[in-house]
Every structure is written in C-alpha cells, then in structure tokens.
Amino acid sequence: MSAETTYHAALLSHAPLTALVGSRVAMHAVPAGLALPYTVFTSRHDPQYTLDNTLACDIVTFDVQCWADTALEAQDVADACKAATTAAGALVVGTAGAFDAEVGLDAVQLTVEWLE
C-alpha cells in the first residue's frame, strides 16, 4: 500500500475530521463543484539511501490544504487533520493560512512528513 493510500485512509478514519468534511478528502485535485469544507493533498517522495546505495527509507512530504468558506472553518478542518496526522504517527512540520480571492475561499495549508 502506498503512503498516499495509507494517509488518505487515516484521514477518512478520523471521526472528528469526517464530522466536518464527510468523505470530501481528495488526493491531487478536487472535482468541480465539490461542497465545502474539504481537504485535498499532494505528495513528494524523497528516498534516503545508505552509503552502499541501499534504500534506508522514503520521506514523504504531504501538502494538505483545508478549504472552507471562512478562515475559522478552515482552521477547524486543519485542526482535525492535524489530530488525524498525529494519530497516524506522522508529523505536522508547518502551517500556513491562505485565501483565494478568485473563488472567495479561505484555506489552511499543512506540511506533513511521513516516514516509510
């Protein structure tokens, strides 16, 4: 199972998060017209090798975006994502706020490190 599939399942199995977003947790992109609030994430893999070129581990960095109508709602979703991430054994290493003026939505963006 990939880190993406495992992380997606961890988010969807966290009751406080699903109470806010239901099943609206997407990988890579959200479908047009998706109801708010929702969470979408992308990933980057950074394999780590030993001196003899053996794969030691893969550090997966997830960019998790929590979108909502208001900054407060986006923060509530982000807090639930943080709790789900911690429960899954991963680490939130950064947080940033965002606003998309074109669509009038607020977001909180989390940077998550996952070790495989």
Side-chain angles (χ1 to χ4, degrees), residues 3-4 6-18 25 39-42 60-66 76-95 108-115:
E4 290 82 359
T6 303
Y7 188 58
H8 188 253
L11 292 175
L12 286 175
S13 68
H14 191 71
L17 178 60
T18 57
V25 176
T39 297
V40 59
F41 67 91
T42 59
V60 183
T61 304
F62 291 110
D63 173 32
V64 182
Q65 297 177 4
C66 305
D76 288 344
V77 174
D79 290 343
C81 280
K82 286 179 188 178
T85 297
T86 301
L91 182 64
V92 176
V93 296
T95 304
V108 174
Q109 181 175 333
L110 307 174
T111 302
V112 173
E113 286 191 356
W114 181 281
L115 186 62

Side-chain angles (χ1 to χ4, degrees), residues 15-112:
L17 178 60
T18 57
L20 295 170
V21 301
S23 62
R24 296 182 305 273
V25 176
M27 289 188 277
H28 308 299
V30 294
L34 187 65
L36 292 167
Y38 59 78
T39 297
V40 59
F41 67 91
T42 59
S43 61
R44 183 186 78 232
H45 289 257
D46 294 307
Q48 305 295 304
Y49 295 93
T50 63
L51 292 176
D52 67 355
N53 210 27
T54 302
L55 180 63
C57 67
D58 186 16
I59 300 173
V60 183
T61 304
F62 291 110
D63 173 32
V64 182
Q65 297 177 4
C66 305
W67 290 92
D69 283 318
T70 68
L72 184 58
E73 290 173 335
Q75 187 61 58
D76 288 344
V77 174
D79 290 343
C81 280
K82 286 179 188 178
T85 297
T86 301
L91 182 64
V92 176
V93 296
T95 304
F99 179 75
D100 186 331
E102 186 174 315
V103 293
L105 297 178
D106 284 283
V108 174
Q109 181 175 333
L110 307 174
T111 302
V112 173

